[in-house]
Amino acid sequence: RSLITSVMQHLTRISRALLPRLSTIGAHRRCPTLQQLSRPAAPPLLPVSAIASSPISRCLATSSSHDAKLSSLLDSELQYERASDQQQQQQSRQQPSQRASQPPPGFTVTARSGTQMTLTRQCPEDGSLLEVSFDLNGSTASPDAESAVDDHEDAPGPDANQDGNSSEDGEEILARPDLTFRVRKPATPACLTVRCSFPPINISRQMAAEEPDYPTLSIDTVAVEGVSGGDSLGEYELEADMLNDDLYKQLAEMLVHRGVTREFEHSLVQFCTAEEHRLYLRFLAEAKKFCDA
């Protein structure tokens, strides 16, 4: 018993000595340090599986996949077009291409802004100036598509023009934009404006066979712009349907006299086709660059 009593007394003294220290340690744990107060607690990290399955990550992954596929298709189309251009250049002596990088003879490019262009010709016969303006946007259509519209048939299916350059029967897609002719004379600030359009290709070929020296363009409207004085015509345009046959024919003769011939029409279509194709290649390259960004 004396031994047990001695041991119990010894333990009591040890506990009394340690009690103040234990309370001090507890106080330090309850009171955060200045470093803990100035830095917020970090949020718990999400597991990798939760991040991968989040809607945002799934959307980013899907977008990247679609962009990569689109980029691959654009690259294939671009490579195909470039290879086709090289092949046409090699065969140009035997089979001249429909694409000519030069404007029609006698005409020069005086304005160019994106898809819009203006060509001019100085007419030596009377000193007048002939301008022709056009926009290449929406200027292309396959011969099959135009024939289908003209005959009220269904449009060609998805396989009718897969390469973006040739129709199903191998015919090249041509750029045939609406044209605005302006005839200017040095003696007056006014100009005569004649707006024309191309008929469907099949009709154009028939007209060319019947009258090979005349263009197949159709006159749509006629206007007089730049009228001086208080009695201005404003934006008035006369529909060609309102003209009698003699007036219509004389307007066409006036344009032919200033160089709007069948040869001009053929050369202009070649030039527009080349310019539209150049824009198409640029579009493919820029679209691919966007997908790869």
Side-chain angles (χ1 to χ4, degrees):
R1 288 183 181 178
S2 60
L3 179 60
I4 294 174
T5 302
S6 174
V7 171
M8 293 297 295
Q9 292 176 351
H10 183 68
L11 291 175
T12 301
R13 288 194 298 270
I14 293 175
S15 63
R16 289 176 179 176
L18 292 176
L19 185 59
R21 296 184 181 182
L22 291 175
S23 62
T24 303
I25 293 174
H28 281 297
R29 288 181 178 176
R30 288 191 295 269
C31 297
T33 62
L34 291 176
Q35 185 178 6
Q36 291 173 328
L37 288 173
S38 60
R39 182 178 61 190
L45 295 177
L46 291 175
V48 176
S49 59
I51 297 177
S53 61
S54 66
I56 296 178
S57 63
R58 288 198 303 269
C59 180
L60 292 176
T62 303
S63 299
S64 300
S65 175
H66 288 305
D67 290 357
K69 291 179 181 179
L70 179 57
S71 175
S72 177
L73 291 174
L74 290 170
D75 184 66
S76 298
E77 178 72 8
L78 185 59
Q79 297 303 324
Y80 174 84
E81 291 293 338
R82 289 174 175 173
S84 177
D85 288 348
Q86 292 178 358
Q87 184 178 3
Q88 284 192 1
Q89 291 176 1
Q90 294 174 358
Q91 299 177 353
S92 59
R93 293 183 179 180
Q94 292 78 13
Q95 298 177 355
S97 173
Q98 293 290 335
R99 304 169 189 167
S101 58
Q102 299 298 324
F107 287 80
T108 58
V109 179
T110 55
R112 184 197 300 264
S113 177
T115 60
Q116 299 178 356
M117 299 183 65
T118 299
L119 312 180
T120 59
R121 176 183 183 268
Q122 193 71 42
C123 304
E125 298 81 8
D126 57 359
S128 62
L129 183 70
L130 177 65
E131 297 179 356
V132 52
S133 303
F134 52 86
D135 190 339
L136 293 175
N137 274 334
S139 63
T140 57
S142 67
D144 294 335
E146 287 195 350
S147 299
V149 172
D150 184 63
D151 299 336
H152 301 284
E153 298 175 355
D154 294 335
D159 296 333
N161 183 27
Q162 289 182 344
D163 58 9
N165 183 51
S166 300
S167 62
E168 189 175 8
D169 57 0
E171 292 190 66
E172 187 175 18
I173 296 178
L174 304 177
R176 306 163 79 235
D178 293 341
L179 306 176
T180 299
F181 294 96
R182 289 184 173 89
V183 181
R184 302 182 185 275
K185 291 185 176 182
T188 174
C191 71
L192 186 66
T193 302
V194 182
R195 304 188 190 279
C196 301
S197 60
F198 286 92
I201 291 180
N202 54 349
I203 297 179
S204 180
R205 288 172 178 170
Q206 294 176 3
M207 296 174 62
E210 295 173 358
E211 295 182 315
D213 296 333
Y214 283 82
T216 63
L217 294 168
S218 299
I219 298 176
D220 298 328
T221 62
V222 184
V224 180
E225 299 178 341
V227 176
S228 59
D231 190 15
S232 175
L233 289 174
E235 301 295 330
Y236 179 78
E237 288 185 337
L238 179 63
E239 298 289 336
D241 294 340
M242 302 299 296
L243 299 173
N244 60 43
D245 293 342
D246 291 337
L247 283 175
Y248 186 95
K249 184 177 180 180
Q250 195 57 43
L251 276 173
E253 290 285 353
M254 183 193 67
L255 293 178
V256 171
H257 176 71
R258 287 176 168 82
V260 186
T261 62
R262 174 62 182 158
E263 181 183 359
F264 160 82
E265 180 183 296
H266 179 70
S267 299
L268 181 67
V269 170
Q270 290 181 335
F271 176 69
C272 291
T273 300
E275 289 297 313
E276 195 280 336
H277 185 68
R278 179 183 62 82
L279 292 172
Y280 176 63
L281 294 180
R282 178 70 182 277
F283 159 77
L284 292 176
E286 293 298 329
K288 181 183 182 303
K289 187 185 300 183
F290 171 82
C291 292
D292 294 340

